[in-house]
């Protein structure tokens, strides 16, 4: 697998090169750059399979680099020192990222996932989705990428009724009655959707309050949703959920 590394700090480039050589021998580094303009030329010249891309690069960003490339058939693993807005957008696009200092286990996991994706496609639609989301001026209802085995579904946050955990998987229940199974934990989506008002009402349940019809007193506390479904509220969460719902 051929890779290009892009980071505005040479020390970070050297560190990542060393880690890849040590932990990911399947990756061949064909070029490295600390300048966006140079990196664009290198990507077009070498046509890599994988791009390790720093998000914040002085006054510019890794997203600026992606916008300068007309074709994006490569996979991207973002590398950043900050868990900021850019990373939030990356998460919504279901793309991989690494926080500095890079953890070897997380690096290996990200590379293995990229390898699997490279085997099954030619165009990285997730990158296009990410760049579209970054250009949005209306953030009231962004979309989220939900990766499945054979496809990636792009769902509006407002259309998610609730989420339910199933071991290390998560079921998404949508307003149109669709049910989607995702191979990620509920905690990951609870953290991602919390800024949009979603409530972790139970260890196994996450609910969009816009779809809550009423509070039922059965079993100590149960939410009745607009679609007729019932969701239990854990004892430890009852008072905070009541407060959040204005009950």
């Amino acid at each position: 697998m051929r890779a290009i590394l892009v980071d505005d700090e040479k020390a970070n480039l050297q560190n990542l090169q060393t880690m890849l050589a040590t932990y990911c021998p399947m990756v061949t580094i064909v070029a490295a750059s600390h300048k966006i303009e140079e990196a664009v030329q290198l990507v077009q010249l070498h046509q890599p399979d994988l791009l390790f891309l720093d998000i914040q690069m002085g006054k510019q960003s890794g997203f600026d680099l992606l916008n300068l490339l007309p074709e994006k058939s490569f996979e991207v693993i973002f590398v950043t020192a900050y868990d900021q807005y850019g990373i939030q957008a990356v998460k919504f696009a279901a793309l991989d990222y690494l926080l500095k200092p890079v953890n070897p286990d997380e690096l290996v996991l990200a590379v293995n996932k990229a390898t699997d994706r490279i085997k099954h496609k030619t165009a990285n639609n997730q990158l296009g989705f990410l760049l579209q989301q970054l250009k949005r001026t209306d953030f009231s209802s962004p979309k989220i990428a939900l990766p499945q085995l054979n496809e990636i579904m792009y769902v509006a946050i407002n259309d998610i009724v609730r989420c339910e955990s199933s071991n290390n998987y998560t079921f998404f229940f949508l307003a149109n009655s669709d049910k989607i199974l995702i191979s990620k934990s509920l905690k990951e989506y609870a953290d991602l959707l919390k800024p949009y008002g979603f409530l972790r009402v139970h260890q196994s349940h996450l609910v969009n309050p816009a779809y809550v019809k009423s509070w039922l007193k059965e079993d100590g506390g149960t939410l009745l949703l607009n679609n007729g479904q019932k969701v239990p509220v854990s004892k430890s969460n009852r008072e905070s959920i009541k407060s959040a719902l204005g009950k």
Side-chain angles (χ1 to χ4, degrees):
M1 181 166 53
R2 301 161 66 252
I4 289 178
L5 317 184
V6 182
D7 194 306
D8 65 338
E9 296 185 19
K10 293 182 179 181
N12 290 332
L13 286 175
Q14 293 173 353
N15 180 60
L16 188 54
Q17 286 176 320
T18 300
M19 293 189 70
L20 286 169
T22 303
Y23 301 103
C24 304
M26 75 291 288
V27 176
T28 300
I29 301 171
V30 297
S33 177
H34 62 280
K35 296 180 180 179
I36 285 181
E37 294 76 10
E38 179 185 55
V40 170
Q41 296 177 1
L42 290 172
V43 170
Q44 293 175 327
L45 174 64
H46 293 285
Q47 297 294 305
D49 304 302
L50 178 61
L51 185 66
F52 287 88
L53 182 59
D54 189 14
I55 290 183
Q56 194 61 44
M57 299 180 64
K59 295 181 179 180
Q60 294 180 291
S61 75
F63 304 133
D64 294 323
L65 185 154
L66 294 175
N67 278 316
L68 291 171
L69 294 168
E71 295 184 6
K72 305 172 185 65
S73 58
F74 48 83
E75 284 293 325
V76 175
I77 296 175
F78 292 94
V79 186
T80 181
Y82 307 101
D83 192 355
Q84 82 282 45
Y85 161 71
I87 284 298
Q88 194 77 352
V90 168
K91 290 179 181 178
F92 268 86
L95 290 162
D96 282 322
Y97 72 97
L98 299 168
L99 287 176
K100 301 174 186 177
V102 175
N103 177 282
D105 292 335
E106 293 178 357
L107 174 64
V108 172
L109 179 61
V111 168
N112 288 340
K113 288 167 65 177
T115 301
D116 289 339
R117 290 195 296 268
I118 288 168
K119 292 178 181 178
H120 295 99
K121 65 167 186 54
T122 56
N124 196 331
N125 295 324
Q126 286 164 274
L127 283 180
F129 172 75
L130 167 65
L131 296 176
Q132 285 181 345
Q133 294 301 298
L134 289 169
K135 291 177 181 177
R136 286 170 56 95
T137 55
D138 177 14
F139 294 98
S140 59
S141 182
K143 289 186 176 183
I144 186 171
L146 300 179
Q148 297 180 281
L149 183 61
N150 297 316
E151 65 176 331
I152 297 175
M153 298 188 66
Y154 299 99
V155 176
I157 300 297
N158 288 348
D159 291 336
I160 301 171
V161 177
R162 67 183 184 93
C163 305
E164 181 176 342
S165 69
S166 178
N167 296 319
N168 290 324
Y169 292 81
T170 299
F171 281 106
F172 276 74
F173 296 82
L174 307 184
N176 63 1
S177 299
D178 282 353
K179 182 179 178 181
I180 303 172
L181 180 62
I182 306 299
S183 58
K184 290 186 178 181
S185 70
L186 182 64
K187 182 185 184 305
E188 183 168 343
Y189 288 110
D191 294 340
L192 200 55
L193 295 173
K194 184 177 180 180
Y196 296 90
F198 280 69
L199 302 173
R200 185 75 177 268
V201 301
H202 187 280
Q203 182 178 359
S204 300
H205 296 278
L206 182 69
V207 171
N208 184 344
Y211 291 93
V212 174
K213 182 178 181 179
S214 62
W215 175 286
L216 303 178
K217 295 182 179 180
E218 61 186 51
D219 299 323
T222 301
L223 297 180
L224 176 64
L225 306 185
N226 292 339
N227 60 8
Q229 295 178 347
K230 294 181 179 180
V231 179
V233 179
S234 65
K235 184 177 181 180
S236 60
N237 287 337
R238 286 172 193 165
E239 294 306 315
S240 62
I241 299 303
K242 281 183 178 180
S243 177
L245 294 173
K247 301 298 182 182

